[in-house]
Amino acid sequence: KRTMKLIFPPLLKRGDKVGFISPSAGLAGKFKYRAKRGIKWFEKQGFRVKIGKNFWKIGYIAGKPEERASDLNKMIYDEDIKAIICAIGGVNSIQLLRYIDFKGFRKNPKVFVGFSDITVLHLAFYKKSRVSTFYGPMLLTQFGEYPKPFDYTIEYFFKAVMKGKIGEIRVTNYTDQFLD
């Protein structure tokens, strides 16, 4: 049985363009202050930003499966995009699988980041594209923290996607912020 070799995407550098998508829950539009704070933080770090067409949709899901997958595929096809970061998880990423261009992702691998429901996409990228992805912080949940992401989030995120180093994470603080 022949297996494909695992592909590692090029490391991210300041000045690169980062794409933000909502492949599952439609919460970026509901919590705009967190989304905008996270986007602004990336811009202050020297990254250019592109937002998916359905990113701001509000609802249980951020659009039809074809629409959400289209945002992801456009980020995959866009050679200027070097990283794709998810807004938040949810329960509907699995709906995208039949519409994703896995061959395109294999040909144009890039940093892909998210967790929770986004795990479905990580596993699919691994199985179908053999591209290594990053189970990590998302825009609303970590990068949208006030007044900025936690230092450990910044440190370990950049260590992983800019230096290619993964290792033990030592957490020194946390949030217990509650939003109704």
Side-chain angles (χ1 to χ4, degrees), residues 30-89:
K30 185 169 182 149
F31 299 105
K32 278 187 178 179
Y33 66 97
R34 283 189 75 96
K36 288 180 179 181
R37 186 167 41 235
I39 291 166
K40 196 171 288 186
W41 181 82
F42 270 91
E43 291 172 336
K44 285 180 182 175
Q45 299 304 306
F47 296 98
R48 295 173 294 132
V49 168
K50 182 173 183 176
I51 307 296
K53 182 179 177 186
N54 297 283
F55 179 82
W56 297 109
K57 282 192 177 175
I58 298 172
Y60 184 66
I61 52 175
K64 296 175 184 171
E66 299 90 342
E67 294 170 327
R68 291 176 283 137
S70 175
D71 283 353
L72 176 55
N73 285 331
K74 285 178 183 172
M75 298 290 179
I76 290 170
Y77 305 144
D78 187 334
E79 296 202 10
D80 286 341
I81 298 290
K82 303 302 179 193
I84 303 168
I85 300 175
C86 298
I88 197 164

Side-chain angles (χ1 to χ4, degrees), residues 34-175:
R34 283 189 75 96
K36 288 180 179 181
R37 186 167 41 235
I39 291 166
K40 196 171 288 186
W41 181 82
F42 270 91
E43 291 172 336
K44 285 180 182 175
Q45 299 304 306
F47 296 98
R48 295 173 294 132
V49 168
K50 182 173 183 176
I51 307 296
K53 182 179 177 186
N54 297 283
F55 179 82
W56 297 109
K57 282 192 177 175
I58 298 172
Y60 184 66
I61 52 175
K64 296 175 184 171
E66 299 90 342
E67 294 170 327
R68 291 176 283 137
S70 175
D71 283 353
L72 176 55
N73 285 331
K74 285 178 183 172
M75 298 290 179
I76 290 170
Y77 305 144
D78 187 334
E79 296 202 10
D80 286 341
I81 298 290
K82 303 302 179 193
I84 303 168
I85 300 175
C86 298
I88 197 164
V91 294
N92 294 289
S93 290
I94 197 166
Q95 296 173 333
L96 278 60
L97 297 182
R98 72 178 64 187
Y99 305 107
I100 297 172
D101 182 355
F102 292 104
K103 288 180 182 174
F105 193 66
R106 181 171 172 77
K107 289 178 187 171
N108 192 19
K110 46 194 73 194
V111 170
F112 178 81
V113 186
F115 68 93
S116 189
D117 182 46
I118 307 307
T119 304
V120 169
L121 301 179
H122 289 294
L123 294 172
F125 282 134
Y126 171 76
K127 177 72 175 166
K128 300 285 218 167
S129 303
R130 298 299 290 175
V131 174
S132 178
T133 57
F134 296 85
Y135 188 89
M138 293 189 283
L139 190 65
L140 293 177
T141 51
Q142 282 78 32
F143 294 115
E145 280 290 344
Y146 180 82
K148 67 178 184 69
F150 291 127
D151 290 338
Y152 70 84
T153 300
I154 298 167
E155 176 186 351
Y156 293 106
F157 174 74
F158 284 154
K159 184 178 174 184
V161 302
M162 295 178 86
K163 296 179 181 176
K165 297 182 187 246
I166 308 289
E168 183 180 348
I169 296 175
R170 296 171 202 246
V171 178
T172 56
N173 58 357
Y174 65 94
T175 183

